[in-house]
Amino acid sequence: VSNSSSSTSHVDVFQYYTLPCISLLYKAGGPVVDFSYVGIDAILEQMRRKAMKQGFELNIMVVGQSGLGKSTLMNTLFKSKVSRKSVLATAQEKIPKTIEIKSISHDIEEKGVRMKLTVIDTPGFGDQINNENCWQPIMKFINDQYEAYLQEEININRKKRIPDSRVHCCIYFIPPTGHCLRPLDVEFMRRLSKVVNIVPVIAKADTLTLEERDFFKKKIREELRANGIDVYPQKEFDEDAEDRMINEKIREMIPFAVVGSDQEYQVNGRRLLGRKTKWGTIEVENIAHCEFAYLRDLLIRTHMQNIKDITSSIHYEMYRVRRLNENNTVVTHANGIPEHHLAAHEM
Amino acid sequence: MASTEIARQAGEGARAVPLAGHVGFDSMPDQLVNKSVNHGFCFNILCVGETGLGKSTLMDTLFNTKFEGEPTQHNQPGVTLKSNTYELQESNVRLKLTVVNTVGFGDQINKEDSYKSIVEFIDAQFEAYLQEELKIKRTLHSYHDTRIHACLYFIAPTGHSLKSLDLVTMKKLDSKVNIIPIIAKSDAISKSELAKFKIKITSELVSNGVQIYQFPTDDESVAEINSTMNSHLPFAVVGSTEEVKIGNKMVKARQYPWGTVQVENENHCDFVKLREMLIRVNMEDLREQTHTRHYELYRRCKLEEMGFKDTDPDSKPFSLQETYEAKRNEFMGELQKKEEEMRQMFVQRVKEKEAELKEAEKELHEKFDRLKKLHQDEKKKLEEKKKSLDDELNMFKQKKTAAELLQNQAQQAGGSTTLKRDKERKN
């Protein structure tokens, strides 16, 4: 049975829940009591209230060789000092001998919307002479977050809100060589696109001319396709025709050629974020100069919820299926040491 | 080989960082709402109350539509629950509304078990959700949630106090569902009686420890209105889908010779309050309470019953996984056993059939042998007979030839005599 209660189109809907007695709908011309209005659409407002009260969580991972501007880009995206370098300022920035994974959380607020942003940095990635298996620690970290969430979810006494530390998005920084992807890039993206949303970006894009940039992008897209690498937004997760249309446009622009900066300069009478050189000032938020604005819009303004949804309903579910299907469960003893570890020690 | 070092800075108490400009994540609530709009919403109401208290009419009035169905009979042998799902749309919001009615509640002579079918129904919905949640391959985001979000308990307008059936039923339901008690057909009670009735009901509920749903007062924007409404519970409602002309407007009302009861007039009844609270202000909270409180309680009890347990935090375990695996193996073992049994039975049956067929074959052979023997006997007899007949025939032939010989001889002798006679005659 499909009933449609008479849908009334209003010019303005007064916030009925502050008027305890009568629900009034203001049409142009004065208050009118509309008896056919049930109030089902009030649930949107209720949801919004709940969301504002709870706040949001977002976990972004940045991966790339040192010197590609990862920290700067994070600071630029969130217009504040959110990167590891800004927080853990070390006297000398040495490239670590092994890959480390460092995550830092911040509480940021904008127009009443509170967000817990966690930036996960991976210093040391791709910096060794032998970079074999350098993706392993990163994959392990991502899987560990899924594992933590799964553990919480299968508890008998569950928390009201399970803290979400799963990596929602992994920004992969491609060095601006202008030629093609390196084997390291292909290997990393191939493996990780299966467990997390990857957003590849061309770092320090101000070293490429527009033609070089277009050529590079096309080459990268071809190589991604040739290697079967599905980056975000993945084609198979488009929900409907409208989605597909929007996402196709984005897929034609990937990877975004970005420039990051946390310094402001005076340009044409306005203060803008940019990089000042002898031959000109590159404006970070100018789409004629670089594609930072597109990246920001994608990640934050339009697709943030979608990124989180794909992480929780697809990547996490896949992990869960794999995990629950495993026949050899690792039994942990009361002191927390896994059994096979103990056995090895005894030998 | 690369090793990892995880340094988590200020996990819970993350540092607050000021923003130097507009980032844009203030659109997150919009993104979330848009996603929900695309998805649609689900709301499930259970109406519990005796037959004839106007449950269906109230639903029609609340949602401004005529839900199908005729009034139920009063002679049901037990309490059954009938649920109907409707798709409503208002501006861009699509709502999948499920209305569950208790059919035959309060009609039996012995009402001791009336509450049981209701509790079973509610539990069944929780169970279905739990099953989906425990599945290995699950599709939670597209699952049609049938868990009851609100239970409207219809109290008969006696004007005195709650019936014992009401108390018992509400006590059984209060830990499983959000109960909103309402006084049905309240146009049968006068204003003064109503006030006393409400006080009596509330005190009876409190003294019996029945936990009814309290509208939430933690969010400042709705705290005030919700707390006011909490003091008006139970709502005295009147339902009607008929329209009567009052002044120059058509309003929903019930017309009596002595006056007209207007449904949406706050002086006449609490219908508007109910609609405000149930739909316009707290629908989302009702859904949330169902999921985070009632469902979690059910889940916890069910899992503990099945033998799972969490171990305490310092032994970081996997006991749920283990027990899950153990149960799975047990189940597989049982399945295999059953399969083996079935196979044995099958083999047995085949053997029996084979034996039967062999028996039949043997019988046939015996029969054949017997017949053959009979046949041979017959043949022998016949041959003997034939032989004897042949012998007879031979004897007869012999006799015949002997007789012929004799005749010939006699003839010859006679012939010679005749010849002699003839010769004599001639001479």
Side-chain angles (χ1 to χ4, degrees), chain B residues 152-198:
Chain B
L152 292 179
Y153 195 94
F154 287 69
I155 299 170
T158 59
H160 298 163
S161 61
L162 282 175
K163 301 190 185 165
S164 42
L165 173 65
D166 294 337
L167 275 171
V168 165
T169 313
M170 279 203 267
K171 192 87 181 83
K172 292 278 180 209
L173 292 179
D174 70 353
S175 58
K176 294 198 172 285
V177 75
N178 301 314
I179 301 186
I180 302 177
I182 58 182
I183 301 171
K185 295 195 167 176
S186 64
D187 49 346
I189 316 182
S190 72
K191 220 174 173 130
S192 50
E193 285 175 350
L194 189 61
K196 277 195 252 164
F197 192 27
K198 280 196 186 184

Side-chain angles (χ1 to χ4, degrees), chain A residues 1 3 21 23 35 40 46 48 50 79 99 101 106-107 110 137 154-155 157-158 309 320, chain B residues 3-5 15 20 23 30 35 68 87 90 135 264 266 280 284 288 296 299-300 310 318 320:
Chain A
V1 178
N3 287 331
C21 295
S23 308
F35 291 112
I40 299 175
Q46 298 171 29
R48 198 182 300 258
K50 183 173 108 176
K79 293 232 165 70
I99 298 179
I101 304 204
H106 312 270
D107 276 333
E110 191 171 58
I154 59 182
N155 263 345
N157 282 309
R158 302 201 282 206
D309 287 340
R320 184 176 172 276
Chain B
S3 69
T4 55
E5 216 181 85
R15 44 192 287 268
V23 176
D30 287 326
K35 167 188 135 192
E68 61 182 277
E87 296 220 2
E90 191 165 67
K135 270 197 199 154
E264 272 158 318
E266 299 234 19
R280 296 186 189 174
E284 183 58 32
E288 191 175 340
E296 285 297 313
R299 178 179 176 273
R300 205 178 320 148
D310 287 340
F318 226 171
L320 184 73

Side-chain angles (χ1 to χ4, degrees), chain A residues 70-89 104-108 117 119 261-264 273, chain B residues 15-21 23:
Chain A
K70 305 191 291 288
S71 304
T72 316
L73 189 72
M74 279 294 108
N75 288 349
T76 322
L77 262 176
F78 291 99
K79 293 232 165 70
S80 65
K81 304 256 183 274
V82 295
S83 70
R84 172 188 55 93
K85 287 211 179 121
S86 322
V87 177
L88 310 173
I104 306 207
S105 298
H106 312 270
D107 276 333
I108 46 183
L117 171 72
V119 179
S261 164
D262 42 14
Q263 290 210 303
E264 290 187 339
L273 283 174
Chain B
R15 44 192 287 268
V17 172
L19 300 176
V23 176

Side-chain angles (χ1 to χ4, degrees), chain A residues 257-306:
Chain A
V258 298
V259 174
S261 164
D262 42 14
Q263 290 210 303
E264 290 187 339
Y265 294 99
Q266 195 86 351
V267 178
N268 290 340
R270 291 178 309 170
R271 286 198 67 79
L272 298 170
L273 283 174
R275 284 172 64 75
K276 190 163 179 183
T277 63
K278 286 224 157 67
W279 48 91
T281 306
I282 302 153
E283 296 161 40
V284 166
E285 274 164 318
N286 186 337
I287 50 175
H289 290 193
C290 76
E291 294 176 329
F292 168 81
Y294 291 129
L295 177 70
R296 178 204 53 208
D297 286 348
L298 178 76
L299 279 186
I300 301 177
R301 295 187 187 176
T302 56
H303 283 66
M304 197 196 277
Q305 185 61 41
N306 183 246

Side-chain angles (χ1 to χ4, degrees), chain B residues 56-67 238-244 251-254 263:
Chain B
S56 315
T57 315
L58 187 69
M59 285 296 110
D60 287 350
T61 324
L62 261 178
F63 291 99
N64 256 331
T65 40
K66 190 97 185 71
F67 295 128
V238 174
S240 170
T241 44
E242 284 160 10
E243 299 203 334
V244 170
V251 301
K252 286 198 275 261
R254 285 177 63 78
V263 167

Side-chain angles (χ1 to χ4, degrees), chain B residues 72-105:
Chain B
T72 46
Q73 309 278 320
H74 281 249
N75 52 3
Q76 309 283 329
V79 180
T80 50
L81 284 97
K82 208 157 61 113
S83 93
N84 291 306
T85 309
Y86 309 96
E87 296 220 2
L88 306 176
Q89 177 150 1
E90 191 165 67
S91 51
N92 60 343
V93 176
R94 288 174 297 120
L95 180 74
K96 231 188 194 129
L97 175 76
T98 303
V99 178
V100 186
N101 250 311
T102 49
V103 175
F105 187 76

